[in-house]
Structures are given as C-alpha cells and as structure tokens.
Amino acid sequence: MNYRHGYHAGNFADVFKHAILARVLTLMAAKDAPFRVIDTHAGAGRYDLDGEHAKKTGEAESGIHKLLANLPHGAALELLQPYLHAVKKFAPAYPGSPLIMQALTRTQDAMAFCELHPEEFSALEKSLGRDRRVKTLALDGWTALKSLLPPKERRGIVLIDPPYEDPAEFRRVADGIEEAMRRFATGVYLVWYPVKNRHDTDAAIRRIVRAAGKPALRLEFEIHRPQTDGPLVATGMLAINPPWKLKEECETLLPALRQSLASADRGAVLVEALD
Ligand SMILES: C[S@@+](CC[C@H](N)C(=O)[O-])C[C@H]1O[C@@H](n2cnc3c(N)ncnc32)[C@H](O)[C@@H]1O
C-alpha cells in the first residue's frame, strides 16, 4: 500500500467526487429518517494543502484553488453550496470524504470509516475528533461491504474510493458490489474511478452495473483529452440507486464545473442513466 492521498488532495478529481458526494448527502438529508454513511477507503480525512505532499504535486492548483477563483453562478453555485460549506469550514486545509460526510450529516445519522494504512488511520481519527456518530475502523474496505451491511437504519450511502494501484481493483469493485447488493440492495452506492482509457473504462462500468443489477447513473468529467501514460485528466463516479434528483442536478452542476476547471476549449462531461 504505497498510495497516499495527500499528494492528490483537492485536485480536479477530488472536486468532482466531493461535489457529487455533497449533493447525495444533501438529497438524503431532505428526509428526516436517519441514514448511515460507510466510507470503505476513507483516507486521512484532512489534508494540509501547504504541506510537503500537496506542494510536491501542486494538484490542488488545478482543482479546488482554480474552482474557488472561478466559481460558477446561478443554479450551479446553489448546488455547490454544501460542498463549499465543507471546504470553507476546514480551510486552509482540504477536507477528504470523511470530513465532508461529518459536516453534512445530522445528529440522527451515523458514519463508519475504514482505512488500512496505519498513518492515514491515526490521522483520520485525529481529523474526526470526538463524535459519537462516528466509528473509525482499521478494517479492509472490501470486508466492510460484507460485515457492515445492511446498516440498521436501512438507509445509507456507501462510498467506494479505492486507490486503483492494482489493475485488479475494478474487478474487486464489481465483486464487492455484487456481495453488498445481497445484503443491502436499496443502498446508494458511489463508486469513484479514474478514466485512463475509454475502452477499458466502458468494460469496467458494464461489469459493475451488471454485478449491481440496479439502476445507475454514470457521471464523468474530463479536463483534457486523456493520453496513454499521460497524467490523470478524466475521472468518473458511478452512482448505483441514485437519489432521483441527482441526474437533473448533475446536468447543471457538471457543465459548470467544466467551465470552472477545464481549459476554455477542452474538457467534457457525461451524465448518463443506465437502467
Ligand atoms: C483514494 S484514497 C481515499 C480518499 C478519500 N475517500 C477521500 O475522498 O478523501 C484511498 C485510501 O484507501 C486506503 N486503502 C487502500 N486499500 C484499502 C483497503 N483494502 N481497505 C481500506 N482502505 C484501503 C489507502 O490507504 C488510501 O488512504
């Protein structure tokens, strides 16, 4: 396990992933009934954008810093507010998915975070502080899809955000989703993925959607055209059992994010319902 999210925190892929996560949390919180969030690959929670790791890559410059300098207007800005609220709450540090979840859930909700890297795990515990709604677990995220499901609330969001260091990771996602569906078929699942090669991505998405056997929303975001062995410039999120307004919201939000983050004549977004 070499991956350290601190090198990538606040980059364009984090902005995309976290802005969508914040919408899903907001839509789930529109009903009073409690829900649980499970983050299978949680990371450290809080990232110092002036720290050694972030400075080495400078990725936040074309991500959160660029967004804050070029905020969209109108309806898209409204949709971004929950995410911006979380970002501002922890500034100048950048909040990872656990802190965004903690900021956008209510007293009746619960959270479980899995992280296997020992240093990231202790940073995560520190980032979250004392919160009786939270459980931090040094547990394998794939095991969590068996042992933590179904949540007792029977409403929940499962974020699956592995590092994809290993080419087998997409297969693990499909197997994990299939397993999870047997236990919690009504959950909202958010699977983040890198887009390196269009053909391989299409095949991986087909496999995951087949394993889920549920309606899904495929969301993708590209800031430049991907090149073989080039840097990561395109990313995606598959939302399985998406809240019903998510598609419409992403049709407004993602083109606006593209305007803010992609160079003027480049970039693309995809919002596609897969049933
Ligand atoms: C992409 S990062 C997570 C970022 C985080 N979800 C966010 O959005 O802020 C992936 C994390 O998964 C951890 N990890 C890798 N394999 C794991 C596993 N099998 N179970 C749990 N965590 C794992 C890594 O140490 C890393 O911190």
Side-chain angles (χ1 to χ4, degrees):
M1 291 217 318
N2 295 319
Y3 183 90
R4 303 298 293 270
H5 195 66
Y7 289 105
H8 310 291
N11 69 1
F12 80 98
D14 257 9
V15 170
F16 163 84
K17 166 178 62 182
H18 293 152
I20 294 167
L21 171 66
R23 286 317 311 159
V24 173
L25 288 161
T26 305
L27 291 169
M28 289 288 280
K31 282 191 195 152
D32 282 343
F35 63 87
R36 183 171 298 247
V37 263
I38 295 164
D39 193 344
T40 58
H41 296 74
R46 179 192 295 252
Y47 301 95
D48 176 7
L49 296 183
D50 292 322
E52 184 201 333
H53 289 179
K55 282 277 179 222
K56 195 161 178 188
T57 59
E59 289 189 18
E61 286 314 311
S62 49
I64 187 60
H65 290 152
K66 190 163 180 185
L67 176 69
L68 293 175
N70 298 286
L71 281 175
H73 303 284
L77 182 61
E78 277 302 302
L79 292 171
L80 261 186
Q81 286 306 334
Y83 170 59
L84 294 175
H85 161 78
V87 166
K88 284 175 189 158
K89 182 168 175 187
F90 300 103
Y94 182 78
S97 50
L99 291 195
I100 292 172
M101 290 166 170
Q102 195 182 31
L104 299 178
T105 44
R106 306 148 312 162
T107 50
Q108 65 267 44
D109 301 323
M111 285 156 269
F113 299 108
C114 303
E115 172 54 53
L116 272 189
H117 193 292
E119 281 172 40
E120 301 291 274
F121 182 77
S122 47
L124 175 66
E125 287 197 303
K126 211 165 127 204
S127 304
L128 289 162
R130 282 167 66 93
D131 184 341
R132 57 162 193 79
R133 304 173 303 155
V134 163
K135 251 192 220 152
T136 42
L137 304 158
L139 174 71
D140 178 81
W142 307 115
T143 305
L145 289 175
K146 299 178 198 150
S147 60
L148 300 184
L149 297 179
K152 78 172 189 312
E153 296 80 4
R154 301 276 163 175
R155 289 185 80 212
I157 304 168
V158 182
L159 174 64
I160 302 176
D161 183 19
Y164 294 92
E165 282 178 308
D166 174 352
E169 205 85 289
F170 270 115
R171 180 184 297 271
R172 231 170 269 146
V173 172
D175 292 347
I177 287 283
E178 191 170 355
E179 188 75 53
M181 280 296 163
R182 281 192 213 122
R183 293 171 166 78
F184 186 37
T186 55
V188 177
Y189 293 83
L190 299 176
V191 178
W192 179 83
Y193 55 92
V195 179
K196 292 188 177 153
N197 163 322
R198 187 69 45 206
H199 177 265
D200 291 353
T201 304
D202 287 350
I205 295 303
R206 268 199 303 277
R207 180 189 282 165
I208 299 169
V209 171
R210 208 177 316 121
K214 292 283 177 186
L217 186 60
R218 178 175 176 177
L219 304 169
E220 285 179 13
F221 183 60
E222 180 179 296
I223 51 167
H224 292 290
R225 197 138 290 287
Q227 285 175 346
T228 316
D229 300 328
L232 186 72
V233 291
T235 173
M237 182 91 109
L238 187 69
I240 300 166
N241 291 327
W244 70 274
K245 277 195 177 161
L246 188 65
K247 178 168 185 280
E248 187 187 316
E249 290 192 352
C250 287
E251 281 164 351
T252 302
L253 181 59
L254 297 188
L257 277 186
R258 174 185 169 230
Q259 286 279 333
S260 297
L261 297 188
S263 17
D265 55 342
R266 301 226 177 81
V269 297
L270 174 75
V271 178
E272 185 187 9
L274 308 168
D275 293 311

